[in-house]
Amino acid sequence: DTDYNLKSSYVKENDCTSASTLYLYWSGNQWRIGEQRANNVGPLAYCTQTDITSCTAGNWVIYETSDTYENDNAMYAQADECPTWPCASVTSTVTTGSANCQSF
């Protein structure tokens, strides 16, 4: 997509009506996946590896419930592909904004 915080960032268009666009970008000391590319907004998932290709299975932490993040041993990033959760959809219990639908 474009550079953000001096690193490449990526955008993924979804068919989900409430979260139609997701971003993969560098912020502070982590790669983040979020509904907007912003340093001050909590991500849906993050990886603290400096190089995105090092964000392998077990290095991603995903948003579970209100202020709770948990390691995801299945999610990974791969060159030329978007990070993926190996399921049809990811659902959040967040009811504010558009965070309640995270389909990949």
Side-chain angles (χ1 to χ4, degrees):
D1 181 42
T2 186
D3 283 357
Y4 186 80
N5 292 328
L6 303 176
K7 292 196 181 215
S8 294
S9 69
Y10 309 90
V11 63
K12 172 146 175 61
E13 299 290 331
N14 284 320
D15 59 0
C16 177
T17 58
S18 64
S20 61
T21 304
L22 293 175
Y23 298 93
L24 170 63
Y25 62 97
W26 179 257
S27 178
N29 62 350
Q30 57 191 218
W31 285 98
R32 293 178 167 201
I33 296 175
E35 293 176 320
Q36 52 186 298
R37 205 173 1 224
N39 295 332
N40 61 345
V41 176
L44 300 172
Y46 67 87
C47 172
T48 58
Q49 301 297 312
T50 305
D51 188 326
I52 189 64
T53 60
S54 297
C55 290
T56 56
N59 286 316
W60 284 95
V61 179
I62 62 170
Y63 183 83
E64 287 291 327
T65 59
S66 181
D67 298 321
T68 303
Y69 285 85
E70 293 183 11
N71 278 11
D72 187 317
N73 292 321
M75 186 173 165
Y76 60 92
Q78 183 174 324
D80 300 321
E81 293 187 24
C82 291
T84 178
W85 273 289
C87 58
S89 67
V90 176
T91 302
S92 170
T93 57
V94 175
T95 57
T96 59
S98 61
N100 60 346
C101 183
Q102 313 306 331
S103 179
F104 284 80

PDB file of all heavy atoms in Angstrom, residues 1 10-15 19-24 33-34 37 81-84 103-104:
ATOM      1  N   ASP A   1       0.839  -1.185   0.000  1.00  0.00           N
ATOM      2  CA  ASP A   1       0.000   0.000   0.000  1.00  0.00           C
ATOM      3  C   ASP A   1       0.884   1.247   0.000  1.00  0.00           C
ATOM      4  O   ASP A   1       1.019   1.905  -0.999  1.00  0.00           O
ATOM      5  CB  ASP A   1      -0.954  -0.063   1.186  1.00  0.00           C
ATOM      6  CG  ASP A   1      -1.899   1.124   1.263  1.00  0.00           C
ATOM      7  OD1 ASP A   1      -2.408   1.531   0.220  1.00  0.00           O
ATOM      8  OD2 ASP A   1      -2.109   1.620   2.370  1.00  0.00           O
ATOM      9  N   TYR A  10       0.359  -2.381   4.529  1.00  0.00           N
ATOM     10  CA  TYR A  10      -0.463  -3.134   3.587  1.00  0.00           C
ATOM     11  C   TYR A  10      -1.927  -2.942   3.932  1.00  0.00           C
ATOM     12  O   TYR A  10      -2.278  -2.690   5.075  1.00  0.00           O
ATOM     13  CB  TYR A  10      -0.099  -4.628   3.659  1.00  0.00           C
ATOM     14  CG  TYR A  10       1.385  -4.850   3.539  1.00  0.00           C
ATOM     15  CD1 TYR A  10       2.198  -4.871   4.672  1.00  0.00           C
ATOM     16  CD2 TYR A  10       1.978  -4.994   2.294  1.00  0.00           C
ATOM     17  CE1 TYR A  10       3.570  -5.045   4.560  1.00  0.00           C
ATOM     18  CE2 TYR A  10       3.355  -5.170   2.180  1.00  0.00           C
ATOM     19  CZ  TYR A  10       4.142  -5.193   3.317  1.00  0.00           C
ATOM     20  OH  TYR A  10       5.502  -5.356   3.201  1.00  0.00           O
ATOM     21  N   VAL A  11      -2.771  -3.090   2.941  1.00  0.00           N
ATOM     22  CA  VAL A  11      -4.208  -2.956   3.149  1.00  0.00           C
ATOM     23  C   VAL A  11      -4.894  -4.187   2.571  1.00  0.00           C
ATOM     24  O   VAL A  11      -4.471  -4.723   1.553  1.00  0.00           O
ATOM     25  CB  VAL A  11      -4.737  -1.646   2.507  1.00  0.00           C
ATOM     26  CG1 VAL A  11      -4.548  -1.645   1.005  1.00  0.00           C
ATOM     27  CG2 VAL A  11      -6.191  -1.412   2.867  1.00  0.00           C
ATOM     28  N   LYS A  12      -5.937  -4.651   3.263  1.00  0.00           N
ATOM     29  CA  LYS A  12      -6.722  -5.797   2.799  1.00  0.00           C
ATOM     30  C   LYS A  12      -8.182  -5.397   2.785  1.00  0.00           C
ATOM     31  O   LYS A  12      -8.738  -4.995   3.795  1.00  0.00           O
ATOM     32  CB  LYS A  12      -6.532  -7.002   3.711  1.00  0.00           C
ATOM     33  CG  LYS A  12      -7.485  -8.147   3.370  1.00  0.00           C
ATOM     34  CD  LYS A  12      -6.878  -9.478   3.608  1.00  0.00           C
ATOM     35  CE  LYS A  12      -7.812 -10.626   3.411  1.00  0.00           C
ATOM     36  NZ  LYS A  12      -8.370 -10.797   2.113  1.00  0.00           N
ATOM     37  N   GLU A  13      -8.790  -5.485   1.621  1.00  0.00           N
ATOM     38  CA  GLU A  13     -10.217  -5.218   1.484  1.00  0.00           C
ATOM     39  C   GLU A  13     -10.966  -6.509   1.796  1.00  0.00           C
ATOM     40  O   GLU A  13     -10.597  -7.571   1.310  1.00  0.00           O
ATOM     41  CB  GLU A  13     -10.544  -4.768   0.066  1.00  0.00           C
ATOM     42  CG  GLU A  13      -9.840  -3.492  -0.350  1.00  0.00           C
ATOM     43  CD  GLU A  13     -10.364  -2.266   0.365  1.00  0.00           C
ATOM     44  OE1 GLU A  13     -11.552  -2.251   0.749  1.00  0.00           O
ATOM     45  OE2 GLU A  13      -9.582  -1.324   0.538  1.00  0.00           O
ATOM     46  N   ASN A  14     -12.006  -6.424   2.604  1.00  0.00           N
ATOM     47  CA  ASN A  14     -12.827  -7.574   2.983  1.00  0.00           C
ATOM     48  C   ASN A  14     -14.220  -7.456   2.411  1.00  0.00           C
ATOM     49  O   ASN A  14     -14.645  -6.385   2.026  1.00  0.00           O
ATOM     50  CB  ASN A  14     -12.960  -7.663   4.512  1.00  0.00           C
ATOM     51  CG  ASN A  14     -11.720  -8.192   5.161  1.00  0.00           C
ATOM     52  OD1 ASN A  14     -11.096  -9.098   4.662  1.00  0.00           O
ATOM     53  ND2 ASN A  14     -11.355  -7.605   6.284  1.00  0.00           N
ATOM     54  N   ASP A  15     -14.940  -8.560   2.452  1.00  0.00           N
ATOM     55  CA  ASP A  15     -16.346  -8.517   2.075  1.00  0.00           C
ATOM     56  C   ASP A  15     -17.239  -8.358   3.296  1.00  0.00           C
ATOM     57  O   ASP A  15     -18.435  -8.380   3.211  1.00  0.00           O
ATOM     58  CB  ASP A  15     -16.736  -9.765   1.287  1.00  0.00           C
ATOM     59  CG  ASP A  15     -16.490 -11.050   2.068  1.00  0.00           C
ATOM     60  OD1 ASP A  15     -16.020 -10.980   3.219  1.00  0.00           O
ATOM     61  OD2 ASP A  15     -16.764 -12.119   1.523  1.00  0.00           O
ATOM     62  N   ALA A  19     -16.333  -4.333   8.808  1.00  0.00           N
ATOM     63  CA  ALA A  19     -14.882  -4.112   8.850  1.00  0.00           C
ATOM     64  C   ALA A  19     -14.345  -4.365   7.447  1.00  0.00           C
ATOM     65  O   ALA A  19     -13.678  -5.344   7.185  1.00  0.00           O
ATOM     66  CB  ALA A  19     -14.235  -5.038   9.870  1.00  0.00           C
ATOM     67  N   SER A  20     -14.679  -3.451   6.542  1.00  0.00           N
ATOM     68  CA  SER A  20     -14.381  -3.709   5.141  1.00  0.00           C
ATOM     69  C   SER A  20     -12.913  -3.546   4.785  1.00  0.00           C
ATOM     70  O   SER A  20     -12.472  -4.031   3.759  1.00  0.00           O
ATOM     71  CB  SER A  20     -15.243  -2.825   4.254  1.00  0.00           C
ATOM     72  OG  SER A  20     -14.969  -1.470   4.534  1.00  0.00           O
ATOM     73  N   THR A  21     -12.136  -2.874   5.618  1.00  0.00           N
ATOM     74  CA  THR A  21     -10.717  -2.678   5.330  1.00  0.00           C
ATOM     75  C   THR A  21      -9.898  -2.945   6.581  1.00  0.00           C
ATOM     76  O   THR A  21     -10.234  -2.466   7.661  1.00  0.00           O
ATOM     77  CB  THR A  21     -10.464  -1.233   4.853  1.00  0.00           C
ATOM     78  OG1 THR A  21     -11.296  -0.970   3.737  1.00  0.00           O
ATOM     79  CG2 THR A  21      -9.017  -1.031   4.472  1.00  0.00           C
ATOM     80  N   LEU A  22      -8.843  -3.721   6.427  1.00  0.00           N
ATOM     81  CA  LEU A  22      -7.895  -3.966   7.518  1.00  0.00           C
ATOM     82  C   LEU A  22      -6.514  -3.556   7.044  1.00  0.00           C
ATOM     83  O   LEU A  22      -6.178  -3.673   5.870  1.00  0.00           O
ATOM     84  CB  LEU A  22      -7.895  -5.443   7.921  1.00  0.00           C
ATOM     85  CG  LEU A  22      -9.181  -5.945   8.565  1.00  0.00           C
ATOM     86  CD1 LEU A  22      -9.100  -7.446   8.802  1.00  0.00           C
ATOM     87  CD2 LEU A  22      -9.461  -5.215   9.870  1.00  0.00           C
ATOM     88  N   TYR A  23      -5.694  -3.085   7.989  1.00  0.00           N
ATOM     89  CA  TYR A  23      -4.353  -2.625   7.682  1.00  0.00           C
ATOM     90  C   TYR A  23      -3.319  -3.440   8.446  1.00  0.00           C
ATOM     91  O   TYR A  23      -3.541  -3.804   9.599  1.00  0.00           O
ATOM     92  CB  TYR A  23      -4.206  -1.152   8.073  1.00  0.00           C
ATOM     93  CG  TYR A  23      -5.133  -0.257   7.311  1.00  0.00           C
ATOM     94  CD1 TYR A  23      -6.380   0.083   7.818  1.00  0.00           C
ATOM     95  CD2 TYR A  23      -4.762   0.245   6.071  1.00  0.00           C
ATOM     96  CE1 TYR A  23      -7.243   0.898   7.107  1.00  0.00           C
ATOM     97  CE2 TYR A  23      -5.616   1.064   5.350  1.00  0.00           C
ATOM     98  CZ  TYR A  23      -6.853   1.386   5.879  1.00  0.00           C
ATOM     99  OH  TYR A  23      -7.700   2.190   5.175  1.00  0.00           O
ATOM    100  N   LEU A  24      -2.201  -3.697   7.807  1.00  0.00           N
ATOM    101  CA  LEU A  24      -1.025  -4.286   8.439  1.00  0.00           C
ATOM    102  C   LEU A  24       0.040  -3.213   8.365  1.00  0.00           C
ATOM    103  O   LEU A  24       0.395  -2.764   7.268  1.00  0.00           O
ATOM    104  CB  LEU A  24      -0.584  -5.552   7.699  1.00  0.00           C
ATOM    105  CG  LEU A  24       0.767  -6.147   8.111  1.00  0.00           C
ATOM    106  CD1 LEU A  24       0.739  -6.598   9.568  1.00  0.00           C
ATOM    107  CD2 LEU A  24       1.127  -7.301   7.199  1.00  0.00           C
ATOM    108  N   ILE A  33      -2.215  -5.292  13.083  1.00  0.00           N
ATOM    109  CA  ILE A  33      -3.348  -5.418  12.179  1.00  0.00           C
ATOM    110  C   ILE A  33      -4.485  -4.663  12.847  1.00  0.00           C
ATOM    111  O   ILE A  33      -4.805  -4.915  14.012  1.00  0.00           O
ATOM    112  CB  ILE A  33      -3.746  -6.889  11.954  1.00  0.00           C
ATOM    113  CG1 ILE A  33      -2.616  -7.635  11.256  1.00  0.00           C
ATOM    114  CG2 ILE A  33      -5.049  -6.968  11.156  1.00  0.00           C
ATOM    115  CD1 ILE A  33      -2.865  -9.119  11.100  1.00  0.00           C
ATOM    116  N   GLY A  34      -5.061  -3.717  12.128  1.00  0.00           N
ATOM    117  CA  GLY A  34      -6.129  -2.919  12.701  1.00  0.00           C
ATOM    118  C   GLY A  34      -7.087  -2.393  11.663  1.00  0.00           C
ATOM    119  O   GLY A  34      -6.825  -2.473  10.458  1.00  0.00           O
ATOM    120  N   ARG A  37      -5.046   2.661  10.306  1.00  0.00           N
ATOM    121  CA  ARG A  37      -3.593   2.756  10.434  1.00  0.00           C
ATOM    122  C   ARG A  37      -3.327   3.922  11.373  1.00  0.00           C
ATOM    123  O   ARG A  37      -3.231   5.061  10.944  1.00  0.00           O
ATOM    124  CB  ARG A  37      -3.009   3.017   9.039  1.00  0.00           C
ATOM    125  CG  ARG A  37      -1.625   2.583   8.854  1.00  0.00           C
ATOM    126  CD  ARG A  37      -1.131   2.711   7.422  1.00  0.00           C
ATOM    127  NE  ARG A  37      -2.072   3.261   6.471  1.00  0.00           N
ATOM    128  CZ  ARG A  37      -2.286   2.772   5.264  1.00  0.00           C
ATOM    129  NH1 ARG A  37      -1.631   1.720   4.847  1.00  0.00           N
ATOM    130  NH2 ARG A  37      -3.146   3.338   4.457  1.00  0.00           N
ATOM    131  N   GLU A  81       1.925 -12.395   0.891  1.00  0.00           N
ATOM    132  CA  GLU A  81       0.579 -12.787   1.312  1.00  0.00           C
ATOM    133  C   GLU A  81       0.205 -12.027   2.567  1.00  0.00           C
ATOM    134  O   GLU A  81       1.055 -11.637   3.349  1.00  0.00           O
ATOM    135  CB  GLU A  81       0.508 -14.288   1.599  1.00  0.00           C
ATOM    136  CG  GLU A  81       0.692 -15.136   0.362  1.00  0.00           C
ATOM    137  CD  GLU A  81       0.451 -16.605   0.639  1.00  0.00           C
ATOM    138  OE1 GLU A  81      -0.260 -16.918   1.607  1.00  0.00           O
ATOM    139  OE2 GLU A  81       0.984 -17.427  -0.112  1.00  0.00           O
ATOM    140  N   CYS A  82      -1.073 -11.851   2.776  1.00  0.00           N
ATOM    141  CA  CYS A  82      -1.549 -11.202   3.990  1.00  0.00           C
ATOM    142  C   CYS A  82      -1.472 -12.172   5.158  1.00  0.00           C
ATOM    143  O   CYS A  82      -1.602 -13.380   4.968  1.00  0.00           O
ATOM    144  CB  CYS A  82      -2.996 -10.743   3.818  1.00  0.00           C
ATOM    145  SG  CYS A  82      -3.172  -9.400   2.651  1.00  0.00           S
ATOM    146  N   PRO A  83      -1.271 -11.675   6.390  1.00  0.00           N
ATOM    147  CA  PRO A  83      -1.348 -12.561   7.555  1.00  0.00           C
ATOM    148  C   PRO A  83      -2.707 -13.246   7.582  1.00  0.00           C
ATOM    149  O   PRO A  83      -3.688 -12.695   7.087  1.00  0.00           O
ATOM    150  CB  PRO A  83      -1.203 -11.619   8.746  1.00  0.00           C
ATOM    151  CG  PRO A  83      -0.500 -10.439   8.178  1.00  0.00           C
ATOM    152  CD  PRO A  83      -0.983 -10.308   6.754  1.00  0.00           C
ATOM    153  N   THR A  84      -2.776 -14.424   8.174  1.00  0.00           N
ATOM    154  CA  THR A  84      -4.014 -15.185   8.113  1.00  0.00           C
ATOM    155  C   THR A  84      -4.325 -15.893   9.418  1.00  0.00           C
ATOM    156  O   THR A  84      -3.432 -16.299  10.134  1.00  0.00           O
ATOM    157  CB  THR A  84      -3.939 -16.226   6.970  1.00  0.00           C
ATOM    158  OG1 THR A  84      -5.139 -16.975   6.959  1.00  0.00           O
ATOM    159  CG2 THR A  84      -2.777 -17.151   7.114  1.00  0.00           C
ATOM    160  N   SER A 103     -13.555 -10.771   9.438  1.00  0.00           N
ATOM    161  CA  SER A 103     -13.504 -11.884   8.517  1.00  0.00           C
ATOM    162  C   SER A 103     -12.328 -11.745   7.566  1.00  0.00           C
ATOM    163  O   SER A 103     -12.095 -10.669   7.042  1.00  0.00           O
ATOM    164  CB  SER A 103     -14.801 -11.954   7.721  1.00  0.00           C
ATOM    165  OG  SER A 103     -14.776 -13.007   6.816  1.00  0.00           O
ATOM    166  N   PHE A 104     -11.598 -12.835   7.347  1.00  0.00           N
ATOM    167  CA  PHE A 104     -10.471 -12.807   6.410  1.00  0.00           C
ATOM    168  C   PHE A 104     -10.789 -13.670   5.227  1.00  0.00           C
ATOM    169  O   PHE A 104     -11.389 -14.673   5.305  1.00  0.00           O
ATOM    170  CB  PHE A 104      -9.194 -13.336   7.079  1.00  0.00           C
ATOM    171  CG  PHE A 104      -8.580 -12.334   8.008  1.00  0.00           C
ATOM    172  CD1 PHE A 104      -9.056 -12.142   9.270  1.00  0.00           C
ATOM    173  CD2 PHE A 104      -7.500 -11.579   7.569  1.00  0.00           C
ATOM    174  CE1 PHE A 104      -8.484 -11.214  10.120  1.00  0.00           C
ATOM    175  CE2 PHE A 104      -6.922 -10.651   8.404  1.00  0.00           C
ATOM    176  CZ  PHE A 104      -7.408 -10.472   9.687  1.00  0.00           C
TER     177      PHE A 104
END
